[in-house]
Amino acid sequence: MPDPKRNSGPDDAIEPPILHKESAPPKSVDKNTSRTDGRKWNELRPLFLKVGIITKAQGSAYIEMGNTKLIAAVYGPKEILKREEFSLKGKVNCEFKYMPFSRVQYCEPRQNFEEKMISKCICDAMEGVILLEKFPKALVDISVQVIQDDGSALALALTAASVALVNANIEVKDLIVGTTLRYFENSDVLVDPTADEEHGPFSKFSGGAGFHLAVLPSLSQISYLKQTGKIEQSQARDCIETCWETCLRLATGIKNLLQESIDQNAPR
C-alpha cells in the first residue's frame, strides 16, 4: 500500500547526480542529427507536474523536465506587519535555492550570488503577472527549490512558481511558461538543454549564447528575457522566435497537466 504522505512521482527512479558517471561531451548537432540523449535539436524532455503537494503552503507545484526537478511553494497573501513596508499594492518576495545535493558540486545552504540573482529575476517576473492591487497591504512569499539540476533550471523555476500561484488561487494575468535555448558559434541550436549542453566546457561547444525566455501564452506577451554571451542581432532574433514557439508548445502541455492534477485533487 503506497504511503499517502509521500509524493508519488514518476514510476522510473533516477539516480541523484552525485552517483552519475562522468557523461560524454555532447556531440555537434544540426537539424538532421540527434543529441546525446536521442532528442532532436528542438525536442523537449518528458514533463511531469503535480500541484498541492505541500499541505502547509497555500499553493505548491512539483515539476520535472527530464532529470531537472523543482518544487515551488507559495505562502500568503499575508499581512505586512512592518510599518515601513506598508503599500496599497501587494508585494512579492521570492527565494530561489539549489539544494545541497542538487548538483555534482556541493551547494552551500546559504544563498550565493547566482541564487540571489535568480530570486530577483523570478520576483520581477511574478510582480508583472500577479494582480497586486487585489490584495493591498499584503505580502506573497514564493519559495523555489531545485532538487536536481540537469539544465534549464531558471526557465523551469519561472514555470513552477507560476503554477504554484495558480494553485494558491492568487489572481494572475496569465500562466508564465519558460524555456531555455543554447546557441553555439558553429550555428548549432539546442532547445531545452541539459546541464552538459548548457554549461559544459567542451571545445566544440565553447562560446555562443544562451537565452532564457518566459511568456504569457494567452496574452502573447514576454514576461522575462535573459541573454548571455555574444550573438549577431539576426541570429538572436531567430533564437528568440524559436524560444517563443517552444513556450507556446510547452504551454499546451503545462495547462493539460495542470488541469489533470487539479481534477485528481478535487474533492469527490
Side-chain angles (χ1 to χ4, degrees):
M1 181 178 178
D3 186 353
K5 295 184 179 180
R6 187 180 298 275
N7 177 37
S8 56
D11 295 332
D12 296 334
I14 301 174
E15 289 184 341
I18 195 65
L19 300 179
H20 286 182
K21 297 180 180 178
E22 185 174 355
S23 56
K27 58 185 179 181
S28 182
V29 175
D30 57 35
K31 296 185 178 181
N32 297 319
T33 60
S34 60
R35 294 149 77 167
T36 305
D37 57 6
R39 289 184 292 152
K40 297 180 180 179
W41 69 275
N42 62 346
E43 187 176 349
L44 299 172
R45 290 174 289 179
L47 180 67
F48 175 82
L49 172 67
K50 188 170 183 177
V51 299
I53 64 171
I54 301 179
T55 56
K56 292 185 178 181
Q58 276 65 46
S60 58
Y62 172 80
I63 189 167
E64 290 187 8
M65 203 156 195
N67 293 340
T68 301
K69 308 173 185 179
L70 296 91
I71 188 167
V74 173
Y75 302 91
K78 52 189 177 183
E79 182 182 1
I80 297 178
L81 299 179
K82 295 182 180 179
R83 182 171 299 178
E84 61 270 21
E85 294 182 357
F86 173 83
S87 175
L88 291 176
K89 295 178 65 176
K91 290 190 174 183
V92 180
N93 179 56
C94 181
E95 182 182 51
F96 176 91
K97 189 75 185 75
Y98 289 103
M99 300 188 77
F101 50 81
S102 62
R103 291 174 161 180
V104 175
Q105 298 81 15
Y106 176 76
C107 298
E108 294 290 340
R110 182 180 299 180
Q111 265 194 328
N112 58 28
F113 178 75
E114 177 190 1
E115 293 166 334
K116 290 179 180 179
M117 292 300 297
I118 295 178
S119 298
K120 182 66 168 59
C121 294
I122 298 174
C123 188
D124 291 344
M126 297 303 124
E127 285 179 344
V129 74
I130 300 174
L131 300 179
L132 296 175
E133 63 276 8
K134 294 289 186 178
F135 46 94
K137 314 175 193 176
L139 174 70
V140 175
D141 274 320
I142 303 174
S143 172
V144 181
Q145 292 186 321
V146 180
I147 301 172
Q148 184 172 340
D149 179 21
D150 189 29
S152 307
L154 172 55
L156 205 57
L158 290 165
T159 304
S162 179
V163 173
L165 287 172
V166 173
N167 182 240
N169 295 321
I170 294 177
E171 293 187 60
V172 294
K173 298 176 183 177
D174 195 3
L175 184 69
I176 294 180
V177 179
T179 193
T180 300
L181 179 144
R182 189 73 165 89
Y183 174 86
F184 302 100
E185 290 181 342
N186 60 356
S187 298
D188 285 344
V189 175
L190 299 180
V191 174
D192 184 27
T194 62
D196 287 338
E197 294 168 342
E198 187 176 3
H199 306 295
F202 305 110
S203 58
K204 68 173 67 175
F205 276 70
S206 61
F211 291 86
H212 305 273
L213 179 71
V215 306
L216 307 177
S218 298
L219 299 178
S220 297
Q221 295 179 0
I222 292 179
S223 173
Y224 176 81
L225 173 60
K226 177 184 178 182
Q227 176 193 330
T228 58
K230 296 182 180 180
I231 186 174
E232 295 293 333
Q233 182 175 354
S234 60
Q235 296 170 330
R237 186 182 300 110
D238 292 339
C239 289
I240 294 174
E241 289 179 357
T242 301
C243 286
W244 179 274
E245 295 170 357
T246 303
C247 285
L248 295 183
R249 288 194 291 122
L250 187 58
T252 302
I254 291 285
K255 290 179 179 179
N256 291 337
L257 289 173
L258 180 59
Q259 186 62 52
E260 290 177 5
S261 187
I262 291 174
D263 292 341
Q264 291 176 359
N265 295 331
R268 301 186 183 279

